Structures are given as structure tokens and as C-alpha cells.
Amino acid sequence: MAGRGAGLDRLISGRFGALPERPLRLFPRWAGVLLLILTAIACIANATSLQTLDQRLQTQNTARSEEGARVDMDLYRTINARVAAGEEYYAVATDEHRRTKYPTAPFVTVRTPVLAWTTALWDAAGWRAIAILLWVADILAWHAALKTRGSRSERMGAAGLVALFGVVALIPEIATSHEALAGLMISLALALSERFFPAALALAFCASALRLLAVPFLLLWTALAILQKRWSRAMALGAALAVLAIGVVLHANAVAAERLPGDLVSEGWQALIGPALPLYGINLLTILQELPAWIAGPLGVLPLLGWAALGGRMGTLALGWFAGFFLFVALFARLENFYWMGLVVPAYGVGLAFVPRAIVDALSLRETSSDAAATATP
């Protein structure tokens, strides 16, 4: 038929840098059906892997406990307390790493001093208050961000899902979790990325300074700005990355200056556990952990399908960030690094609001959806 594959042709031959709205409409129907089948398989597989990885982690934690191993939160709580008492951060951090039998090399094994320094200024209670404010701001911002992009049910669903996936903001340990705090900031930055660029950039910068694993979000955002020839944004993002690069060099030198002969070196991050690990991290860090595996499994996978259906600038940035970070964790993280997934919540959960849209678009007849599919965000 003449219309078969027309959407894909438009996607390939369209303007360089155009980001299509509702991209699932641009692919052949067979590809949409295949995507839904693969998603269903992933949902079933995740329900099984959640239980398998949970047993592995429990066994690992029991062994660590018997060896007298220290919990990460205790490590950062002690570091923060000593810095608040007036001690120098890098001397304290490397000393506590040695006491805990944690590596000090490479330098990324030692967190940046941002959390410890700010905790010294406004205490852990201040960070707990900030986390709650970020959580509330995320809820409101996501409802507003979809005003022109989603239906009323999608906007309400997005706000509710942010609230549910962001309950980590309410736990006392939030004040010592670099990843969870950075995730709340990145989620808000994503919601504000189009209408309130300066605020979004400031939030993404703070998140990256707090946890260097958030830097790829800025890199992706910069790449998309260049792709679309949004030069003022690209320059602002590039400037933020340059400042961060200087900070990383200073951080690396400061850690190296405190390193002693005999300090442990990290065993590396090439566990190759696969996609089960990032999904397991999402489960442990959100309200999904309270649900049975047969429900939590699909609910952990489906947001990615939903984000694939949104498109446009925000949808492309979100999908690229989530899919890219999932791939990174799947390839490099060890089982005990599941908490890295705190960087994508609560915004990741918003994708569930777009799942009905994804199913409809994946199964739609391309001949009758050509006008809608041709829309693209330049």
C-alpha cells in the first residue's frame, strides 16, 4: 500500500534535528506490534528477575554483615558529621574509606564534597526539607509541563505517578543519599527544561555537582541543543559542563593528595548483569517494592514504553536519559550499586501515564495517522 512506511520515510527525510511528536506513529505497524510483544516479554522476565536478584542481594548483604561490613549510609553520615565538626573533607573522606575498607582509587570512588559541605551549613534536617520541597515541586511541575503535550488524564496521572515514585523524598536517609537527591533535581530539571531553561540548567548543574553520574544528562541535553541548532542553550550548557570539568579536575587532585600507599583500588565496574539490574534498582527505590513481583515487574518496564511514545524535545531528552542510564547500569554496575537508579526517579515513573498512548500509536494504521505523525518539534 502507498501509505505503508510513509511515516518512516518522513522521519528519515525530514529536517535534520527535527524531533517528531508521537514517534511510534512513524514506524510500520509490524514494528509497533513487535515492540509491544517485546515489552510484554520484558515485563514477564522482570517479574522473575526481581525475585532472583533479591535473593542474591540478601545473600550478599548477609555475608557482608557477618564480616562486619559498614552500610554506605553510615559512611556518609560519619563523613558529614566530621566535616560539620570542622575537619577537612578530603582528609575525612579518605580516612573513612580506609576504615570501611573501601577504595580511594580511582578518584570517583570518593564522592564530591558538595553534600558534606552543605550539610555542615544547614544540617541533615535542611536536606530533608529540601527533598520534600523538590518532591512537591516535581509533582506540580510535571502537571504543568504536560499542559500542551498531554490529555487531562495524562497530566493528572503524571502528577500522581511523580508523587508515588518520589516517596523516597520522605525517608530520613534521604539526607545521606547523593543519588536520590540528585534524582529529584534531575526530574525537576526535565519538567522545566522547555519553559524555564535557566532554572532547569541550575538544577541539573547542582545534581551533577552532587553526583557525577548525573553529568551524562547535561551531555545529552547539550547534544540535542546542538542537533537542533539552539545555540544560546548549547553555549549555556557547554559553559556549565566546562565549570563541572574544572571541578572534577580539582576533586581528582584533592583525592590523589590524600591517598596513601596501600589504599585499596576499586575492582572496577564491568559486572555485565544486564537490564535486570536497573529495573531491580527502580523496584527497590520506589513504592514498587511494596507490590508483589507479578505486578511490580510490568510496572517497572512499562514507563520506558510510555516515554518512547511522547516524542518532541522533552520526550526525546527523557527517553535518551532513561534508556542511556539503564544501559550504563546494565553494563557497568555491580549488584550493590542498584541505588544508582535513584538518579532517574521520580520522573521515570511518569512514563506510565503515556502507556495507553503508546499502545494506540503502536497499533494505529499509518495511512490514517499521517497528518499527526508529520508533526515534529524543530
Side-chain angles (χ1 to χ4, degrees), residues 68-265:
R70 191 177 186 183
V71 179
D72 284 3
M73 295 297 185
D74 290 339
L75 170 67
Y76 300 127
R77 190 178 296 111
T78 302
I79 291 174
N80 293 350
R82 290 180 61 179
V83 172
E87 296 186 64
E88 197 275 327
Y89 173 76
Y90 287 99
V92 167
T94 52
D95 177 57
E96 290 297 332
H97 272 240
R98 290 184 203 103
R99 292 171 182 266
T100 315
K101 297 182 180 180
Y102 278 10
T104 61
F107 72 91
V108 292
T109 59
V110 178
R111 298 287 188 268
T112 64
V114 173
L115 185 60
W117 285 348
T118 52
T119 301
L121 290 176
W122 53 65
D123 197 43
W127 268 121
R128 293 186 188 104
I130 291 171
I132 293 174
L133 290 174
L134 286 169
W135 178 53
V136 173
D138 268 309
I139 296 170
L140 298 175
W142 275 105
H143 184 274
L146 298 175
K147 185 175 182 180
T148 59
R149 300 292 313 281
S151 64
R152 185 174 183 275
S153 61
E154 286 176 333
R155 295 197 306 273
M156 295 298 293
L161 288 163
V162 169
L164 290 173
F165 275 72
V167 292
V168 66
L170 305 179
I171 65 172
E173 292 80 7
I174 188 71
T176 53
S177 176
H178 302 76
E179 291 78 12
L181 289 169
L184 288 165
M185 295 177 191
I186 290 291
S187 294
L188 185 54
L190 186 55
L192 301 177
S193 60
E194 282 306 308
R195 297 175 61 190
F196 302 98
F197 174 74
L201 177 56
L203 284 161
F205 178 86
C206 291
S208 299
L210 183 63
R211 189 66 171 102
L212 294 178
L213 283 177
V215 171
F217 177 83
L218 278 173
L219 290 171
L220 175 62
W221 199 1
T222 304
L224 289 176
I226 294 172
L227 181 68
Q228 294 195 288
K229 300 181 180 179
R230 305 178 82 184
W231 302 121
S232 60
R233 291 197 173 201
M235 287 189 290
L237 288 160
L241 285 168
V243 173
L244 283 169
I246 294 171
V248 169
V249 171
L250 294 174
H251 175 63
N253 289 337
V255 173
E258 294 293 337
R259 192 172 297 134
L260 298 177
D263 278 5
L264 296 177
V265 176

